[in-house]
Amino acid sequence: MSVPRVTLFEDIFEIKSLNPEGKKFTNVNRLSGTGTSFGCSLLLDINSSIYPVKAKDKLTIVLTTTLSPDGSPSDGTYNPSSTSLASNYDYVTHGRVYLYQHVGEKEVEIQISFGGLLMQLKGEREQLEGVKGDMDVYCLIKKG
């Protein structure tokens, strides 16, 4: 039996700016950054009242299908006494891929909604091939 693929995407992003199109909401910042390994571009809405981020911060961002370290599917509940990938991260959200489109021959654009907080990720198709349209994903973030 093969082990399911848990991590769909992982990179360290250097945050270039906050709110590049102006601040829209009091407790939300839109982060603009670039991946240090794969050069993917990132726009990410984040709740700034619970997780403040500044320009030039480096964030490790992981997209995964489950919080279970063994890859077993999530049942939609959170059990604080169980082992979870979330334990290793500072900020965790759950959402759905609502747009997956090809941009040119080698790039894709992915858009994910985390309950209204949005993520846009653009990069080479081979780096983002694990992510599919209408997929439920977790976004795990930590500084450094």
Side-chain angles (χ1 to χ4, degrees), residues 91-110:
Y91 186 86
V92 178
T93 58
H94 178 261
R96 179 173 287 256
V97 178
Y98 69 90
L99 178 73
Y100 181 100
Q101 68 181 9
H102 296 275
V103 180
E105 289 185 29
K106 296 183 180 182
E107 289 197 341
V108 294
E109 175 182 337
I110 296 168

Side-chain angles (χ1 to χ4, degrees), residues 9-55:
F9 175 80
E10 180 174 2
D11 201 354
I12 297 170
F13 285 84
E14 183 173 341
I15 303 307
K16 303 292 185 190
S17 66
L18 303 180
N19 306 306
E21 298 172 359
K23 188 143 175 93
K24 308 285 187 202
F25 301 101
T26 305
N27 294 323
V28 176
N29 278 332
R30 178 161 285 175
L31 312 178
S32 175
T34 304
T36 60
S37 298
F38 306 119
C40 293
S41 66
L42 170 77
L43 288 175
L44 176 65
D45 296 342
I46 202 158
N47 185 327
S48 56
S49 66
I50 61 172
Y51 196 66
V53 176
K54 302 181 303 276

Side-chain angles (χ1 to χ4, degrees), residues 63-93:
L63 297 178
T64 181
T65 57
T66 180
L67 295 177
S68 176
D70 67 4
S72 58
S74 295
D75 64 4
T77 61
Y78 175 67
N79 182 349
S81 64
S82 68
T83 304
S84 169
L85 294 175
S87 302
N88 300 321
Y89 293 87
D90 305 319
Y91 186 86
V92 178
T93 58

